[in-house]
Amino acid sequence: HFQFGEGSRAHRRRTASEKRDLGRDAELEGRRRADERRARREQAAKARVEAEAAVSAAAEAARAPKRCAECGERESQMMALPCQHAALCRSCWEGTAERSRCARCSALCEVVLCVHRP
């Protein structure tokens, strides 16, 4: 008479097979988590590079004063990102209704920095 009880060989083989499956599942989960950590590190590194580029562009704009694209009288202070144009003075920027686009190239503005020149 053949049994599949706890003491049988079939049960021991099945248990070993289940252990292998659990080991593979744990390995796959570990790889998935490692991939997620790697993606987060890459995203943070990309954000740092973009921030450094914006700071560099702001420093360059600070060294090269330009006139406001709208009034032409005052220095441009408001830098649009990501295009990095310092196109408008603060007065014109505050007075314009369309703040979502750059005054020089019409690119969508995600962020606007106020650049102060020495």
Side-chain angles (χ1 to χ4, degrees):
H1 145 313
F2 191 72
Q3 287 186 327
F4 285 105
E6 287 189 32
S8 71
R9 283 186 204 162
H11 176 75
R12 282 192 297 267
R13 270 187 262 134
R14 192 175 331 126
T15 303
S17 173
E18 289 171 355
K19 287 180 183 177
R20 281 192 303 272
D21 290 345
L22 289 174
R24 283 187 211 125
D25 291 347
E27 183 180 339
L28 291 173
E29 180 65 18
R31 287 180 187 172
R32 184 189 63 77
R33 287 182 180 177
D35 289 344
E36 287 175 355
R37 284 192 301 273
R38 188 177 313 110
R40 282 193 300 273
R41 282 192 305 270
E42 289 172 359
Q43 186 178 13
K46 182 180 175 186
R48 279 192 299 276
V49 168
E50 290 173 355
E52 289 170 2
V55 168
S56 176
E60 180 64 31
R63 287 190 292 275
K66 296 178 181 162
R67 296 284 153 214
C68 174
E70 194 166 311
C71 71
E73 297 174 10
R74 292 176 291 276
E75 281 187 38
S76 59
Q77 290 182 299
M78 305 309 288
M79 177 184 282
L81 297 179
C83 69
Q84 302 176 358
H85 289 131
L88 298 177
C89 66
R90 186 171 189 122
S91 298
C92 291
W93 182 79
E94 288 174 349
T96 186
E98 181 58 43
R99 293 185 186 168
S100 63
R101 296 213 174 258
C102 174
R104 288 214 198 281
C105 67
S106 298
L108 285 175
C109 297
E110 296 173 14
V111 178
V112 177
L113 299 176
C114 185
V115 180
H116 296 282
R117 295 181 178 89

